[in-house]
Amino acid sequence: MSVDYILSLVEHYGPFIIFICLFFGVVGIPAPEETLVVIIGILIHQHTLPAIPSILCAFFGVLCGFLFSYTIGRYAGTPFLYKITRFLRLNDFKVRAFQEKYEANYKRALLTGLYIPGARQINPYLAGISQIAFMPYLIVSLIGTTIWVVPFMTIGFVTANIVTIKYEFLPLIGICIGIIFILYFVIKRKYRKKS
């Protein structure tokens, strides 16, 4: 979906389309999610969109996408995973080792993966397939949704009249934010080892 097409839908249908686009963007249907969230911030600043409904629809669109993907992964993803592993000729030991490693690091994978297109869509399915408990997953999803939606919307709101951002660079900004999060976790881990 192109940005201009999504923009026309948002302007015509309002917050409901924000929810739909972000939900399906997280589930895996290609949509420029970062760009959309920044544009929502710009349109809120310009009073084209109502602030509270738009923010809530963006937040719940992403969160519901995470929960839906997790549910699909949990209840329908395991047979699919085994088909892929057989095709890739991976034995059960390697699959279990991957799942154990993912379970140990799923929080970090979900939070940093939000800023990496592709990883944002795959991680919720992997969490479901790995049978991560629902409540911890929900808490991490709430935190992740907040730290992804708020910064991009703030970028749009703050820069609406100051700077013109080329929309094609927004995924790169997301990747940079993801790298900052990864560095934060790496430095924190090294600091813990030293103390």
Side-chain angles (χ1 to χ4, degrees), residues 27 65-79 124-125 128-129:
V27 169
F66 283 142
L67 297 178
F68 181 79
S69 299
Y70 168 85
T71 304
I72 296 295
R74 187 170 181 109
Y75 297 106
T78 306
Y125 290 107
I129 289 169

Side-chain angles (χ1 to χ4, degrees), residues 20-30 33 61-70 72 118 120-122 124-125:
I20 296 295
C21 287
L22 289 174
F23 173 83
F24 284 112
V26 170
V27 169
I29 295 172
E33 298 102 296
V62 173
L63 181 64
C64 290
F66 283 142
L67 297 178
F68 181 79
S69 299
Y70 168 85
I72 296 295
R120 177 171 49 246
Q121 287 79 12
I122 292 170
Y125 290 107

Side-chain angles (χ1 to χ4, degrees), residues 24 48 58 74 90 95-98 145 166 176:
F24 284 112
T48 307
R74 187 170 181 109
L90 298 173
V95 173
R96 259 185 262 113
F98 169 77
T145 301
K166 291 193 174 188
C176 289

Side-chain angles (χ1 to χ4, degrees), residues 2 14 27 30 33 70 73 79-80 82-83 104 108-109 128 131-132 138 140 149 155 159 168 174 177 184:
S2 73
V27 169
E33 298 102 296
Y70 168 85
F80 180 70
Y82 284 117
K83 283 181 186 175
R108 192 173 304 150
Q131 302 292 308
I132 302 295
L138 177 62
V140 173
V149 169
I155 287 170
T159 62
E168 56 267 20
I177 295 171
Y184 168 76

Side-chain angles (χ1 to χ4, degrees), residues 129-146:
I129 289 169
S130 299
Q131 302 292 308
I132 302 295
F134 179 74
M135 282 312 290
Y137 175 80
L138 177 62
I139 292 166
V140 173
S141 295
L142 285 166
I143 293 166
T145 301
T146 304

